Amino acid sequence: MAQDTIFGKIASGEIPVEILAETDRVIAFPDIAPQAAMHILVIPKTAEYENVAELAAGDPELLAEMITVAKRLADERSNGEFRIIFNNGASAGQTVFHVHAHVLAGDLGEGSLVGA
Ligand code: 5GP
């Protein structure tokens, strides 16, 4: 079970954000420090999963729903193409231990990779 993180507080509504997409189980909001023309975070509302490996093992349908939301955002806000990044573990650049997808589109710079 993930600890109480900033994304848990965003998911519960305790910390308000601009919600860009929402389903029963997923929300999306802008990254506070964007690294591309479009840089959106897609998270499950549940704080049960710390990282994408845990999510894939525990609830693959929820992971698929995150990808579907990412595609919808890219369709609505860019040309439908996007880069998706999950940092999995501190040494891989993960800083918030509530699973989240970085969804990037538009001008990605010179091969920018979040956290790299
Ligand atoms: P990680 O390094 O864990 O893969 O990604 C965490 C991301 O969350 C970073 O890109 C960082 O800019 C973003 N972030 C951290 N705190 C906040 C916040 O309070 N609000 C939003 N919208 N993004 C945040």
PDB file of all heavy atoms in Angstrom, residues 1-12 14 43-51 54 94-100:
ATOM      1  N   MET A   1       0.844  -1.196   0.000  1.00  0.00           N
ATOM      2  CA  MET A   1       0.000   0.000   0.000  1.00  0.00           C
ATOM      3  C   MET A   1       0.879   1.245   0.000  1.00  0.00           C
ATOM      4  O   MET A   1       1.783   1.378   0.799  1.00  0.00           O
ATOM      5  CB  MET A   1      -0.898  -0.040   1.242  1.00  0.00           C
ATOM      6  CG  MET A   1      -1.780   1.188   1.443  1.00  0.00           C
ATOM      7  SD  MET A   1      -3.088   1.378   0.238  1.00  0.00           S
ATOM      8  CE  MET A   1      -4.516   1.075   1.243  1.00  0.00           C
ATOM      9  N   ALA A   2       0.605   2.168  -0.921  1.00  0.00           N
ATOM     10  CA  ALA A   2       1.379   3.404  -0.968  1.00  0.00           C
ATOM     11  C   ALA A   2       1.123   4.228   0.293  1.00  0.00           C
ATOM     12  O   ALA A   2       0.050   4.172   0.879  1.00  0.00           O
ATOM     13  CB  ALA A   2       0.992   4.210  -2.206  1.00  0.00           C
ATOM     14  N   GLN A   3       2.123   4.958   0.703  1.00  0.00           N
ATOM     15  CA  GLN A   3       1.950   5.873   1.827  1.00  0.00           C
ATOM     16  C   GLN A   3       1.128   7.067   1.371  1.00  0.00           C
ATOM     17  O   GLN A   3       0.807   7.218   0.203  1.00  0.00           O
ATOM     18  CB  GLN A   3       3.327   6.335   2.329  1.00  0.00           C
ATOM     19  CG  GLN A   3       4.202   5.217   2.834  1.00  0.00           C
ATOM     20  CD  GLN A   3       3.552   4.448   3.972  1.00  0.00           C
ATOM     21  OE1 GLN A   3       3.100   5.031   4.945  1.00  0.00           O
ATOM     22  NE2 GLN A   3       3.484   3.138   3.820  1.00  0.00           N
ATOM     23  N   ASP A   4       0.788   7.926   2.324  1.00  0.00           N
ATOM     24  CA  ASP A   4       0.052   9.135   2.016  1.00  0.00           C
ATOM     25  C   ASP A   4       0.972  10.080   1.231  1.00  0.00           C
ATOM     26  O   ASP A   4       1.947  10.568   1.774  1.00  0.00           O
ATOM     27  CB  ASP A   4      -0.373   9.789   3.334  1.00  0.00           C
ATOM     28  CG  ASP A   4      -1.522  10.734   3.133  1.00  0.00           C
ATOM     29  OD1 ASP A   4      -2.196  10.632   2.103  1.00  0.00           O
ATOM     30  OD2 ASP A   4      -1.730  11.567   4.024  1.00  0.00           O
ATOM     31  N   THR A   5       0.687  10.266  -0.042  1.00  0.00           N
ATOM     32  CA  THR A   5       1.544  11.093  -0.886  1.00  0.00           C
ATOM     33  C   THR A   5       0.761  12.293  -1.380  1.00  0.00           C
ATOM     34  O   THR A   5      -0.455  12.361  -1.234  1.00  0.00           O
ATOM     35  CB  THR A   5       2.017  10.304  -2.131  1.00  0.00           C
ATOM     36  OG1 THR A   5       0.871  10.047  -2.954  1.00  0.00           O
ATOM     37  CG2 THR A   5       2.694   8.999  -1.763  1.00  0.00           C
ATOM     38  N   ILE A   6       1.481  13.210  -2.015  1.00  0.00           N
ATOM     39  CA  ILE A   6       0.830  14.382  -2.601  1.00  0.00           C
ATOM     40  C   ILE A   6      -0.223  13.953  -3.626  1.00  0.00           C
ATOM     41  O   ILE A   6      -1.292  14.569  -3.724  1.00  0.00           O
ATOM     42  CB  ILE A   6       1.895  15.317  -3.226  1.00  0.00           C
ATOM     43  CG1 ILE A   6       1.304  16.646  -3.662  1.00  0.00           C
ATOM     44  CG2 ILE A   6       2.597  14.694  -4.389  1.00  0.00           C
ATOM     45  CD1 ILE A   6       1.539  17.740  -2.710  1.00  0.00           C
ATOM     46  N   PHE A   7       0.045  12.875  -4.360  1.00  0.00           N
ATOM     47  CA  PHE A   7      -0.933  12.435  -5.372  1.00  0.00           C
ATOM     48  C   PHE A   7      -2.154  11.794  -4.709  1.00  0.00           C
ATOM     49  O   PHE A   7      -3.260  11.874  -5.246  1.00  0.00           O
ATOM     50  CB  PHE A   7      -0.291  11.486  -6.385  1.00  0.00           C
ATOM     51  CG  PHE A   7       0.726  12.146  -7.291  1.00  0.00           C
ATOM     52  CD1 PHE A   7       1.488  11.384  -8.151  1.00  0.00           C
ATOM     53  CD2 PHE A   7       0.915  13.523  -7.292  1.00  0.00           C
ATOM     54  CE1 PHE A   7       2.426  11.971  -8.991  1.00  0.00           C
ATOM     55  CE2 PHE A   7       1.858  14.125  -8.120  1.00  0.00           C
ATOM     56  CZ  PHE A   7       2.614  13.347  -8.969  1.00  0.00           C
ATOM     57  N   GLY A   8      -1.960  11.177  -3.549  1.00  0.00           N
ATOM     58  CA  GLY A   8      -3.110  10.675  -2.802  1.00  0.00           C
ATOM     59  C   GLY A   8      -4.018  11.817  -2.385  1.00  0.00           C
ATOM     60  O   GLY A   8      -5.252  11.713  -2.449  1.00  0.00           O
ATOM     61  N   LYS A   9      -3.404  12.912  -1.978  1.00  0.00           N
ATOM     62  CA  LYS A   9      -4.189  14.090  -1.562  1.00  0.00           C
ATOM     63  C   LYS A   9      -4.868  14.734  -2.769  1.00  0.00           C
ATOM     64  O   LYS A   9      -5.983  15.246  -2.653  1.00  0.00           O
ATOM     65  CB  LYS A   9      -3.278  15.096  -0.853  1.00  0.00           C
ATOM     66  CG  LYS A   9      -2.749  14.575   0.468  1.00  0.00           C
ATOM     67  CD  LYS A   9      -1.996  15.647   1.231  1.00  0.00           C
ATOM     68  CE  LYS A   9      -1.662  15.159   2.642  1.00  0.00           C
ATOM     69  NZ  LYS A   9      -0.247  15.008   2.877  1.00  0.00           N
ATOM     70  N   ILE A  10      -4.210  14.706  -3.914  1.00  0.00           N
ATOM     71  CA  ILE A  10      -4.842  15.221  -5.145  1.00  0.00           C
ATOM     72  C   ILE A  10      -6.004  14.301  -5.535  1.00  0.00           C
ATOM     73  O   ILE A  10      -7.104  14.777  -5.848  1.00  0.00           O
ATOM     74  CB  ILE A  10      -3.787  15.338  -6.266  1.00  0.00           C
ATOM     75  CG1 ILE A  10      -2.857  16.527  -5.962  1.00  0.00           C
ATOM     76  CG2 ILE A  10      -4.452  15.488  -7.637  1.00  0.00           C
ATOM     77  CD1 ILE A  10      -1.643  16.642  -6.875  1.00  0.00           C
ATOM     78  N   ALA A  11      -5.789  13.001  -5.472  1.00  0.00           N
ATOM     79  CA  ALA A  11      -6.839  12.052  -5.870  1.00  0.00           C
ATOM     80  C   ALA A  11      -8.069  12.166  -4.974  1.00  0.00           C
ATOM     81  O   ALA A  11      -9.201  12.011  -5.434  1.00  0.00           O
ATOM     82  CB  ALA A  11      -6.289  10.630  -5.847  1.00  0.00           C
ATOM     83  N   SER A  12      -7.849  12.450  -3.699  1.00  0.00           N
ATOM     84  CA  SER A  12      -8.985  12.536  -2.767  1.00  0.00           C
ATOM     85  C   SER A  12      -9.653  13.905  -2.804  1.00  0.00           C
ATOM     86  O   SER A  12     -10.687  14.112  -2.176  1.00  0.00           O
ATOM     87  CB  SER A  12      -8.503  12.250  -1.339  1.00  0.00           C
ATOM     88  OG  SER A  12      -7.691  13.312  -0.884  1.00  0.00           O
ATOM     89  N   GLU A  14      -8.290  16.601  -1.601  1.00  0.00           N
ATOM     90  CA  GLU A  14      -7.780  17.432  -0.494  1.00  0.00           C
ATOM     91  C   GLU A  14      -6.923  18.583  -1.027  1.00  0.00           C
ATOM     92  O   GLU A  14      -6.950  19.688  -0.491  1.00  0.00           O
ATOM     93  CB  GLU A  14      -6.965  16.534   0.437  1.00  0.00           C
ATOM     94  CG  GLU A  14      -6.551  17.179   1.732  1.00  0.00           C
ATOM     95  CD  GLU A  14      -5.735  16.213   2.583  1.00  0.00           C
ATOM     96  OE1 GLU A  14      -5.864  14.982   2.437  1.00  0.00           O
ATOM     97  OE2 GLU A  14      -4.930  16.710   3.392  1.00  0.00           O
ATOM     98  N   ILE A  43      -3.122   9.361 -13.019  1.00  0.00           N
ATOM     99  CA  ILE A  43      -2.972   8.541 -11.805  1.00  0.00           C
ATOM    100  C   ILE A  43      -4.271   7.799 -11.511  1.00  0.00           C
ATOM    101  O   ILE A  43      -5.356   8.288 -11.829  1.00  0.00           O
ATOM    102  CB  ILE A  43      -2.577   9.395 -10.562  1.00  0.00           C
ATOM    103  CG1 ILE A  43      -3.729  10.306 -10.109  1.00  0.00           C
ATOM    104  CG2 ILE A  43      -1.329  10.217 -10.840  1.00  0.00           C
ATOM    105  CD1 ILE A  43      -3.502  10.964  -8.755  1.00  0.00           C
ATOM    106  N   PRO A  44      -4.152   6.619 -10.881  1.00  0.00           N
ATOM    107  CA  PRO A  44      -5.359   5.994 -10.356  1.00  0.00           C
ATOM    108  C   PRO A  44      -5.808   6.739  -9.097  1.00  0.00           C
ATOM    109  O   PRO A  44      -4.975   7.297  -8.371  1.00  0.00           O
ATOM    110  CB  PRO A  44      -4.916   4.564 -10.016  1.00  0.00           C
ATOM    111  CG  PRO A  44      -3.453   4.562  -9.994  1.00  0.00           C
ATOM    112  CD  PRO A  44      -2.946   5.822 -10.619  1.00  0.00           C
ATOM    113  N   LYS A  45      -7.100   6.720  -8.842  1.00  0.00           N
ATOM    114  CA  LYS A  45      -7.590   7.369  -7.619  1.00  0.00           C
ATOM    115  C   LYS A  45      -7.158   6.589  -6.380  1.00  0.00           C
ATOM    116  O   LYS A  45      -6.920   7.177  -5.331  1.00  0.00           O
ATOM    117  CB  LYS A  45      -9.109   7.511  -7.682  1.00  0.00           C
ATOM    118  CG  LYS A  45      -9.560   8.516  -8.739  1.00  0.00           C
ATOM    119  CD  LYS A  45     -11.079   8.637  -8.806  1.00  0.00           C
ATOM    120  CE  LYS A  45     -11.472   9.651  -9.871  1.00  0.00           C
ATOM    121  NZ  LYS A  45     -12.944   9.737 -10.059  1.00  0.00           N
ATOM    122  N   THR A  46      -7.043   5.278  -6.523  1.00  0.00           N
ATOM    123  CA  THR A  46      -6.601   4.488  -5.375  1.00  0.00           C
ATOM    124  C   THR A  46      -5.122   4.728  -5.095  1.00  0.00           C
ATOM    125  O   THR A  46      -4.325   4.892  -6.024  1.00  0.00           O
ATOM    126  CB  THR A  46      -6.827   2.975  -5.605  1.00  0.00           C
ATOM    127  OG1 THR A  46      -6.324   2.265  -4.464  1.00  0.00           O
ATOM    128  CG2 THR A  46      -6.122   2.466  -6.852  1.00  0.00           C
ATOM    129  N   ALA A  47      -4.785   4.748  -3.806  1.00  0.00           N
ATOM    130  CA  ALA A  47      -3.382   4.880  -3.397  1.00  0.00           C
ATOM    131  C   ALA A  47      -2.758   3.512  -3.140  1.00  0.00           C
ATOM    132  O   ALA A  47      -1.693   3.412  -2.528  1.00  0.00           O
ATOM    133  CB  ALA A  47      -3.282   5.750  -2.148  1.00  0.00           C
ATOM    134  N   GLU A  48      -3.405   2.464  -3.649  1.00  0.00           N
ATOM    135  CA  GLU A  48      -2.974   1.108  -3.318  1.00  0.00           C
ATOM    136  C   GLU A  48      -1.638   0.721  -3.960  1.00  0.00           C
ATOM    137  O   GLU A  48      -0.921  -0.123  -3.430  1.00  0.00           O
ATOM    138  CB  GLU A  48      -4.069   0.141  -3.777  1.00  0.00           C
ATOM    139  CG  GLU A  48      -3.944  -1.250  -3.236  1.00  0.00           C
ATOM    140  CD  GLU A  48      -5.146  -2.119  -3.626  1.00  0.00           C
ATOM    141  OE1 GLU A  48      -6.173  -1.577  -4.088  1.00  0.00           O
ATOM    142  OE2 GLU A  48      -5.016  -3.344  -3.483  1.00  0.00           O
ATOM    143  N   TYR A  49      -1.315   1.344  -5.104  1.00  0.00           N
ATOM    144  CA  TYR A  49      -0.141   0.892  -5.866  1.00  0.00           C
ATOM    145  C   TYR A  49       0.926   1.983  -5.918  1.00  0.00           C
ATOM    146  O   TYR A  49       0.673   3.093  -6.348  1.00  0.00           O
ATOM    147  CB  TYR A  49      -0.568   0.505  -7.289  1.00  0.00           C
ATOM    148  CG  TYR A  49      -1.654  -0.534  -7.280  1.00  0.00           C
ATOM    149  CD1 TYR A  49      -2.984  -0.182  -7.538  1.00  0.00           C
ATOM    150  CD2 TYR A  49      -1.364  -1.860  -6.958  1.00  0.00           C
ATOM    151  CE1 TYR A  49      -4.000  -1.131  -7.487  1.00  0.00           C
ATOM    152  CE2 TYR A  49      -2.366  -2.812  -6.901  1.00  0.00           C
ATOM    153  CZ  TYR A  49      -3.674  -2.447  -7.166  1.00  0.00           C
ATOM    154  OH  TYR A  49      -4.678  -3.385  -7.105  1.00  0.00           O
ATOM    155  N   GLU A  50       2.125   1.605  -5.487  1.00  0.00           N
ATOM    156  CA  GLU A  50       3.226   2.579  -5.440  1.00  0.00           C
ATOM    157  C   GLU A  50       3.834   2.822  -6.805  1.00  0.00           C
ATOM    158  O   GLU A  50       4.349   3.905  -7.071  1.00  0.00           O
ATOM    159  CB  GLU A  50       4.344   2.082  -4.523  1.00  0.00           C
ATOM    160  CG  GLU A  50       4.049   2.239  -3.071  1.00  0.00           C
ATOM    161  CD  GLU A  50       5.276   2.024  -2.199  1.00  0.00           C
ATOM    162  OE1 GLU A  50       6.406   1.913  -2.738  1.00  0.00           O
ATOM    163  OE2 GLU A  50       5.109   1.974  -0.979  1.00  0.00           O
ATOM    164  N   ASN A  51       3.831   1.796  -7.653  1.00  0.00           N
ATOM    165  CA  ASN A  51       4.539   1.905  -8.932  1.00  0.00           C
ATOM    166  C   ASN A  51       3.860   1.026  -9.972  1.00  0.00           C
ATOM    167  O   ASN A  51       2.949   0.246  -9.661  1.00  0.00           O
ATOM    168  CB  ASN A  51       6.022   1.558  -8.759  1.00  0.00           C
ATOM    169  CG  ASN A  51       6.208   0.155  -8.222  1.00  0.00           C
ATOM    170  OD1 ASN A  51       5.677  -0.800  -8.771  1.00  0.00           O
ATOM    171  ND2 ASN A  51       6.941   0.027  -7.129  1.00  0.00           N
ATOM    172  N   GLU A  54       3.800  -2.865  -9.529  1.00  0.00           N
ATOM    173  CA  GLU A  54       2.760  -3.322  -8.586  1.00  0.00           C
ATOM    174  C   GLU A  54       1.381  -3.261  -9.226  1.00  0.00           C
ATOM    175  O   GLU A  54       0.551  -4.158  -9.047  1.00  0.00           O
ATOM    176  CB  GLU A  54       2.750  -2.430  -7.331  1.00  0.00           C
ATOM    177  CG  GLU A  54       3.866  -2.703  -6.366  1.00  0.00           C
ATOM    178  CD  GLU A  54       3.714  -1.906  -5.071  1.00  0.00           C
ATOM    179  OE1 GLU A  54       2.659  -1.252  -4.874  1.00  0.00           O
ATOM    180  OE2 GLU A  54       4.645  -1.921  -4.275  1.00  0.00           O
ATOM    181  N   GLN A  94      11.859   7.971  -9.698  1.00  0.00           N
ATOM    182  CA  GLN A  94      10.537   8.144  -9.083  1.00  0.00           C
ATOM    183  C   GLN A  94      10.681   8.917  -7.772  1.00  0.00           C
ATOM    184  O   GLN A  94      11.525   8.590  -6.927  1.00  0.00           O
ATOM    185  CB  GLN A  94       9.886   6.777  -8.816  1.00  0.00           C
ATOM    186  CG  GLN A  94       8.442   6.913  -8.333  1.00  0.00           C
ATOM    187  CD  GLN A  94       7.724   5.578  -8.208  1.00  0.00           C
ATOM    188  OE1 GLN A  94       8.309   4.514  -8.401  1.00  0.00           O
ATOM    189  NE2 GLN A  94       6.449   5.638  -7.866  1.00  0.00           N
ATOM    190  N   THR A  95       9.849   9.956  -7.630  1.00  0.00           N
ATOM    191  CA  THR A  95       9.880  10.769  -6.414  1.00  0.00           C
ATOM    192  C   THR A  95       8.553  10.729  -5.659  1.00  0.00           C
ATOM    193  O   THR A  95       8.516  11.059  -4.478  1.00  0.00           O
ATOM    194  CB  THR A  95      10.229  12.238  -6.734  1.00  0.00           C
ATOM    195  OG1 THR A  95       9.267  12.761  -7.660  1.00  0.00           O
ATOM    196  CG2 THR A  95      11.619  12.358  -7.319  1.00  0.00           C
ATOM    197  N   VAL A  96       7.484  10.366  -6.356  1.00  0.00           N
ATOM    198  CA  VAL A  96       6.166  10.284  -5.709  1.00  0.00           C
ATOM    199  C   VAL A  96       5.704   8.830  -5.817  1.00  0.00           C
ATOM    200  O   VAL A  96       5.569   8.287  -6.922  1.00  0.00           O
ATOM    201  CB  VAL A  96       5.143  11.224  -6.379  1.00  0.00           C
ATOM    202  CG1 VAL A  96       3.797  11.118  -5.665  1.00  0.00           C
ATOM    203  CG2 VAL A  96       5.640  12.677  -6.370  1.00  0.00           C
ATOM    204  N   PHE A  97       5.454   8.208  -4.662  1.00  0.00           N
ATOM    205  CA  PHE A  97       5.221   6.759  -4.643  1.00  0.00           C
ATOM    206  C   PHE A  97       3.725   6.433  -4.612  1.00  0.00           C
ATOM    207  O   PHE A  97       3.239   5.709  -3.743  1.00  0.00           O
ATOM    208  CB  PHE A  97       6.045   6.133  -3.510  1.00  0.00           C
ATOM    209  CG  PHE A  97       7.513   6.276  -3.817  1.00  0.00           C
ATOM    210  CD1 PHE A  97       8.225   7.402  -3.399  1.00  0.00           C
ATOM    211  CD2 PHE A  97       8.162   5.348  -4.618  1.00  0.00           C
ATOM    212  CE1 PHE A  97       9.559   7.579  -3.751  1.00  0.00           C
ATOM    213  CE2 PHE A  97       9.501   5.512  -4.967  1.00  0.00           C
ATOM    214  CZ  PHE A  97      10.194   6.634  -4.535  1.00  0.00           C
ATOM    215  N   HIS A  98       3.074   7.011  -5.597  1.00  0.00           N
ATOM    216  CA  HIS A  98       1.671   6.712  -5.957  1.00  0.00           C
ATOM    217  C   HIS A  98       1.753   6.599  -7.474  1.00  0.00           C
ATOM    218  O   HIS A  98       2.085   7.589  -8.147  1.00  0.00           O
ATOM    219  CB  HIS A  98       0.777   7.882  -5.515  1.00  0.00           C
ATOM    220  CG  HIS A  98      -0.673   7.764  -5.875  1.00  0.00           C
ATOM    221  ND1 HIS A  98      -1.677   7.999  -4.953  1.00  0.00           N
ATOM    222  CD2 HIS A  98      -1.301   7.492  -7.044  1.00  0.00           C
ATOM    223  CE1 HIS A  98      -2.856   7.845  -5.543  1.00  0.00           C
ATOM    224  NE2 HIS A  98      -2.657   7.553  -6.813  1.00  0.00           N
ATOM    225  N   VAL A  99       1.503   5.413  -8.010  1.00  0.00           N
ATOM    226  CA  VAL A  99       1.797   5.184  -9.424  1.00  0.00           C
ATOM    227  C   VAL A  99       1.207   6.288 -10.300  1.00  0.00           C
ATOM    228  O   VAL A  99       0.071   6.715 -10.113  1.00  0.00           O
ATOM    229  CB  VAL A  99       1.318   3.781  -9.879  1.00  0.00           C
ATOM    230  CG1 VAL A  99      -0.171   3.580  -9.691  1.00  0.00           C
ATOM    231  CG2 VAL A  99       1.710   3.535 -11.329  1.00  0.00           C
ATOM    232  N   HIS A 100       2.031   6.748 -11.262  1.00  0.00           N
ATOM    233  CA  HIS A 100       1.586   7.801 -12.172  1.00  0.00           C
ATOM    234  C   HIS A 100       2.276   7.633 -13.516  1.00  0.00           C
ATOM    235  O   HIS A 100       3.454   7.273 -13.587  1.00  0.00           O
ATOM    236  CB  HIS A 100       1.883   9.197 -11.611  1.00  0.00           C
ATOM    237  CG  HIS A 100       3.297   9.392 -11.176  1.00  0.00           C
ATOM    238  ND1 HIS A 100       3.774   8.928  -9.962  1.00  0.00           N
ATOM    239  CD2 HIS A 100       4.352   9.984 -11.789  1.00  0.00           C
ATOM    240  CE1 HIS A 100       5.050   9.227  -9.855  1.00  0.00           C
ATOM    241  NE2 HIS A 100       5.436   9.869 -10.962  1.00  0.00           N
TER     242      HIS A 100
END
